[in-house]
Structures are given as structure tokens and as C-alpha cells.
Amino acid sequence: MQRTIVTYGLISGVIIILGMIATIVFSAQHSLWLGYLIMLVGLSAILLAIKSHRDKVLGGVIKFWPAFLIGLGVAVVAGIAYVAIWEAYLAITHYRFMDEYTASILASKKAEGLSGAAYAKLAAEMAEMKKSYANPLYRMPMTFIEIFPVGLLVALVSAALVRNPRFLPAKA
């Protein structure tokens, strides 16, 4: 079970972070919805992990709680992989992400017509966010919290589905 959790968790984390980095590198805009869609696609490995364990180890039958625990384990490993690869990406790019992100937000708000005190307030909030994000004790848990709730939801749904042996039955 542990091998399944680690394998599928690492696969999931790598898929997600590569998708996220691709959107950062190849797109001038950062879409929240696209980010969560990429997470959902990568975390579909949770369903595959539970199904694999059910079919290969348990003979095609699994109860909800063991299935949920496998899914939870994959979500935790995927989250840790996501954080580790994100930290490596930040180091490789000399931690420019937050500078570019805040500049992008400020430019888009200015283009929308935000000015004066409202713009100054937003600029101050973005500067505070950059300062907080520079601290790895803040940044790493925040990065983990980006992905883990999605993994938790996918684990719940996957465990509920895969506990039914008629759902994606094992091949004879």
C-alpha cells in the first residue's frame, strides 16, 4: 500500500507542478481556474491508486475507509512533491515569481482603471504579500494548502466510487 501511495503521489505532484510551471512560463496571465483544473487532472491519480490497490492487492473489493486513507496518503505525497518542486522552481528562477506576479496584478488593475488611494492600498497589500511570501515558513505551508483541499475532495469522491466493485471493474 505504501508503494502505491508514494508512486501515485509522486506522479500526481509532478503532473501538477509541470502543468503549473508551463502555464507560468507560456502564459502572461495566471488563471486561478486553470490552476485548479490542472490540480484536478493531476490528482486523478488518487482514483487510479485506489483502483490499482483494490484490483491488484484486494481482489477487486475495498471498503470506504481503507480507500479513503489511500487517497489521503496520495494527496499528502502529491502535496509534498508539489511544495518541493515549487521550491526548486523558485530557487532556479531566483525567486522572481512573486515580483512578476505582483507586477502583473498591479498592471491589470491599473489597466482596469484603478487609481489613487485604491491603487496605493492594493500596492501596499501586494508589497506585504511579497514580504510574507519571502519567508519559507509562510510560503511552504501556503503552497501545500493550495493543493491539499482539492486532494482531500478527490480522495473522498474516489473512495466513494471505487468501493463499489462494479465501478471500473478489474479486468479478468
Side-chain angles (χ1 to χ4, degrees):
M1 178 172 16
Q2 292 170 343
R3 184 177 181 166
T4 300
I5 290 170
V6 171
T7 301
Y8 283 92
L10 290 175
I11 290 168
S12 178
V14 168
I15 289 169
I16 294 165
I17 200 68
L18 290 177
M20 295 292 195
I21 290 171
T23 61
I24 291 169
V25 171
F26 298 117
S27 174
Q29 275 186 228
H30 305 287
S31 168
L32 183 68
W33 292 108
L34 179 60
Y36 280 104
L37 178 62
I38 291 168
M39 285 183 194
L40 197 56
V41 168
L43 288 167
S44 65
I46 291 172
L47 178 77
L48 300 175
I50 296 169
K51 182 187 177 331
S52 173
H53 187 73
R54 177 193 75 182
D55 296 346
K56 293 178 183 173
V57 178
L58 301 176
V61 178
I62 192 168
K63 293 184 184 225
F64 176 81
W65 288 111
F68 176 67
L69 291 176
I70 291 169
L72 194 60
V74 172
V76 168
V77 171
I80 291 169
Y82 178 72
V83 170
I85 297 170
W86 181 249
E87 286 295 314
Y89 170 78
L90 288 176
I92 289 167
T93 59
H94 306 289
Y95 298 91
R96 289 189 314 248
F97 171 76
M98 192 50 81
D99 292 330
E100 293 168 0
Y101 177 74
T102 56
S104 167
I105 296 293
L106 290 172
S108 71
K109 293 298 182 182
K110 193 171 208 171
E112 291 174 6
L114 189 68
S115 63
Y119 183 82
K121 180 182 176 197
L122 178 63
E125 289 170 358
M126 297 304 281
E128 183 61 34
M129 187 168 78
K130 273 176 41 176
K131 182 181 172 189
S132 296
Y133 200 76
N135 180 356
L137 296 177
Y138 173 84
R139 181 181 60 243
M140 292 170 80
M142 291 304 291
T143 303
F144 185 81
I145 287 174
E146 285 175 17
I147 188 173
F148 186 71
V150 179
L152 183 62
L153 182 62
V154 172
L156 281 167
V157 171
S158 297
L161 291 172
V162 177
R163 71 182 175 86
N164 181 349
R166 292 183 308 252
F167 180 78
L168 299 173
K171 294 179 181 167

